[in-house]
């Protein structure tokens, strides 16, 4: 009994630290996203190119996430979480320096754009190490019955970060650094969390019984066992649903700032507070789903997939038809409520649909699609520049198709009744081929 109580306390402390890591990452990313429209228009970078700043990082995230998932099995969860945090911290610091140079007109806008793109890409290549390792760490320490709740809590940490990030960002717009100030502040927060993880996060996962990990070639999601994992009929429906829903959310979020600036007809800096409030309202709605409604109604992955897509459809329709700022903010909040259901739904569903030894691989695949969807956002911004309501109408059509897919597709329809081989108390991968993840 004493040992069990000690284990529960250890898990509670570890999950609190992982919660903090997720909050720090989310508030940094969302805080930066909230000021990007104002940064782009003040420096003179075209809107679509502002959205494209995340694209190279997203591609690298998709390519490297399965590799880092494999490394978490070979080297342990904690080292990969620390590596990801360090990548985030360095990337955010470099982005702040580049933006500061742009705001002071030390280089032409296109030079600033390229440098910003490359500095952000560091997060995609190295910062992606933390996400699959964090999910695998959670799977190591939770039973099947606890999985949906733990994934919802982890998603809720990101939701909390999306509330705090935009609210904190304006506080760090300081003389001398201006709109680059928030990025310096978020880098400092990440550095503090890196120290907390190093000192406080227990690592009980024993990769390879302490043996030296075998040398393997770089892992790519479309090669060897990685490709087999992506084609796995147990995971493929969740990856399709997850990619399209995440793409809709990213497109809506990245278009939101430009829509609000244009609806209000204000200078970018003066419109910043309105952007902050709308993004915070959306984040609160996501938290309501992830921390309140999921638990209150004991919703499983099947229900989350359906209700998530349905609410997101409604939210996008409201934004597309909104005549003013209030309508945009309300529609965005409704859509975020839907995304708050859908994202933990497909994450937990994917986890429950594979065996214990495949957990890190599933986490890597989910992390990859969560990154890769960002690539499509500039296309939605280009569409917005032509027809203001069109991106949100397109989102509604895609999400309606995902609702039908969740209702009719066999794997998604039966996920709540899935019976994995055993509880995921040890989440490891046993790969043997040279091209595996």
């Amino acid at each position: 009994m004493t040992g069990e109580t000690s284990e529960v306390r250890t898990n509670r402390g570890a999950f609190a630290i992982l919660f903090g890591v997720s909050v720090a990452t989310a508030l940094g990313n969302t805080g930066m996203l909230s000021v990007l429209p104002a940064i782009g228009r003040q420096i003179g970078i075209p809107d679509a190119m502002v959205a494209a700043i995340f694209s190279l990082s997203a591609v690298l995230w998709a390519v490297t996430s399965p590799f880092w998932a494999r490394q978490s099995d070979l080297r342990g969860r904690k080292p990969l979480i620390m590596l990801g945090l360090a990548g985030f911290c360095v990337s955010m610091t470099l982005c702040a320096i580049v933006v500061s140079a742009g705001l002071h007109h030390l280089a032409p806008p296109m030079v600033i754009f390229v440098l910003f793109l490359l500095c952000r890409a560091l997060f995609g290549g190295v910062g992606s190490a933390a996400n699959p390792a964090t999910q695998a760490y959670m799977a190591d320490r939770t039973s099947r019955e606890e999985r949906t709740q733990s994934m919802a809590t982890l998603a809720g940490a990101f939701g909390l970060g999306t509330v705090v990030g935009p609210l904190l960002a304006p506080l760090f717009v300081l003389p001398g650094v201006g709109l680059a100030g928030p990025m310096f502040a978020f880098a400092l927060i990440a550095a503090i969390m890196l120290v907390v993880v190093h000192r406080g996060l227990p690592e009980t996962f024993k990769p390879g019984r302490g043996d030296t990990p075998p040398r393997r070639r770089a892992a790519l999601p479309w090669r060897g066992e990685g490709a087999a994992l992506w084609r796995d009929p147990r995971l493929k429906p969740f990856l399709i649903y997850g990619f399209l829903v995440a793409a809709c959310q990213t497109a809506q979020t990245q278009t939101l700032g430009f829509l609000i600036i244009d609806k209000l007809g204000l200078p970018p800096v003066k419109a910043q507070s309105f952007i902050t409030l709308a993004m915070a309202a959306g984040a609160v709605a996501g938290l309501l789903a992830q921390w309140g409604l999921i638990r209150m109604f004991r919703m499983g992955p099947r229900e989350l997939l359906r209700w998530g897509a349905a609410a997101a459809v409604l939210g996008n329709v409201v934004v597309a038809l909104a005549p003013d700022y209030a309508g945009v903010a309300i529609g965005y909040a409704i859509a975020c409520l839907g995304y708050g259901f859908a994202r933990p739904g497909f994450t937990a569903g994917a986890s429950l649909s594979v065996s214990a030894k495949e957990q890190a691989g599933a986490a890597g695949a989910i992390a990859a699609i969560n990154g890769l969807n960002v690539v499509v956002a500039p296309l939605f911004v280009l569409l917005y520049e032509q027809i203001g309501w069109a991106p949100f109408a397109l989102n509604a059509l895609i999400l309606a198709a995902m609702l039908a897919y969740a209702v009719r597709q066999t794997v998604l329809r039966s996920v709540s009744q899935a019976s994995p081989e055993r509880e995921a108390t040890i989440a490891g991968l046993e790969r043997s081929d040279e091209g595996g993840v």
Side-chain angles (χ1 to χ4, degrees):
M1 183 71 177
T2 303
E4 186 178 23
T5 302
S6 176
E7 182 180 357
V8 170
R9 290 176 179 172
T10 300
N11 282 348
R12 187 181 297 117
F15 290 171
I17 291 174
L18 293 182
F19 187 90
V21 170
S22 298
V23 169
T25 304
L27 70 87
N29 285 332
T30 313
M32 181 170 72
L33 183 62
S34 71
V35 297
L36 269 185
I39 289 173
R41 291 195 174 179
Q42 192 160 328
I43 294 176
I45 302 173
D47 292 352
M49 295 183 75
V50 171
I53 286 170
F54 287 85
S55 297
L56 178 58
S57 176
V59 172
L60 290 175
W61 181 286
V63 171
T64 59
S65 287
F67 170 79
W68 293 128
R70 171 60 177 165
Q71 292 301 307
S72 78
D73 287 326
L74 296 175
R75 306 179 188 281
R77 315 305 189 199
K78 180 175 177 178
L80 272 296
I81 294 171
M82 291 181 62
L83 177 64
L85 264 177
F88 174 82
C89 180
V90 173
S91 173
M92 191 66 73
T93 301
L94 294 176
C95 287
I97 293 171
V98 169
V99 168
S100 183
L103 295 172
H104 288 86
H105 307 292
L106 300 180
M110 289 302 101
V111 173
I112 296 298
F113 164 75
V114 172
L115 292 176
F116 201 170
L117 182 74
L118 295 175
C119 293
R120 175 64 186 179
L122 181 63
F123 171 70
V126 180
S128 57
N131 191 288
T134 299
Q135 287 189 37
Y137 192 105
M138 296 285 281
D140 288 346
R141 293 164 178 260
T142 54
S143 68
R144 178 181 182 271
E145 290 74 18
E146 299 169 324
R147 192 72 46 73
T148 300
Q149 296 290 338
S150 65
M151 292 297 182
T153 299
L154 193 60
F158 284 97
L160 178 61
T162 61
V163 174
V164 177
L167 293 176
L168 280 182
L171 302 179
F172 298 111
V173 179
L174 303 172
V177 291
L179 289 168
M183 283 173 269
F184 283 116
F186 297 141
L188 177 61
I189 293 171
I192 293 171
M193 284 309 306
L194 183 60
V195 174
V196 172
V197 170
H198 175 66
R199 295 185 176 182
L201 185 68
E203 175 67 285
T204 58
F205 182 73
K206 305 296 183 184
R209 298 178 301 173
D211 298 334
T212 302
R215 295 184 64 183
R216 295 177 181 270
R217 292 182 297 179
L220 297 174
W222 52 82
R223 291 177 52 194
E225 287 187 52
L229 183 66
W230 284 68
R231 292 194 301 267
D232 191 318
R234 298 170 300 168
L235 277 181
K236 187 176 180 180
F238 294 103
L239 298 181
I240 293 172
Y241 179 98
F243 174 79
L244 290 173
V245 169
C248 289
Q249 182 178 16
T250 301
Q252 186 172 14
T253 300
Q254 293 214 20
T255 311
L256 179 70
F258 301 114
L259 176 65
I260 290 174
I261 291 172
D262 295 333
K263 283 281 185 186
L264 294 173
L266 296 174
V269 175
K270 291 187 177 180
Q272 185 59 49
S273 61
F274 293 92
I275 297 172
T276 294
L277 289 175
M279 293 187 71
V284 168
L287 283 179
L288 174 63
Q290 292 163 352
W291 286 2
L293 299 179
I294 291 176
R295 286 172 169 75
M296 182 184 301
F297 295 104
R298 302 186 64 82
M299 300 170 75
R302 181 174 59 185
E303 292 76 24
L304 294 175
L305 295 173
R306 296 177 181 183
W307 283 102
V313 169
L314 176 60
N316 274 275
V317 170
V318 171
V319 172
L321 300 177
D324 53 23
Y325 169 78
V328 171
I330 292 170
Y332 182 68
I334 296 171
C336 287
L337 180 72
Y339 301 133
F341 287 141
R343 298 193 72 152
F346 73 76
T347 301
S351 177
L352 290 170
S353 296
V354 298
S355 64
K357 67 181 182 180
E358 297 169 306
Q359 288 296 318
I366 291 292
I369 63 140
N370 281 337
L372 190 59
N373 74 82
V374 180
V375 175
V376 305
L379 301 178
F380 280 79
V381 176
L382 284 173
L383 181 58
Y384 168 74
E385 292 176 342
Q386 302 302 315
I387 307 173
W389 53 265
F392 312 104
L394 178 58
N395 262 3
L397 290 175
I398 294 171
L399 290 162
M402 289 302 96
L403 174 59
Y405 188 58
V407 170
R408 298 179 61 86
Q409 208 282 330
T410 303
V411 174
L412 301 184
R413 193 173 60 213
S414 61
V415 61
S416 294
Q417 288 77 41
S419 298
E421 296 176 13
R422 58 190 175 92
E423 290 185 352
T425 53
I426 298 177
L429 291 175
E430 296 176 0
R431 305 289 186 174
S432 59
D433 70 305
E434 288 297 321
V437 175

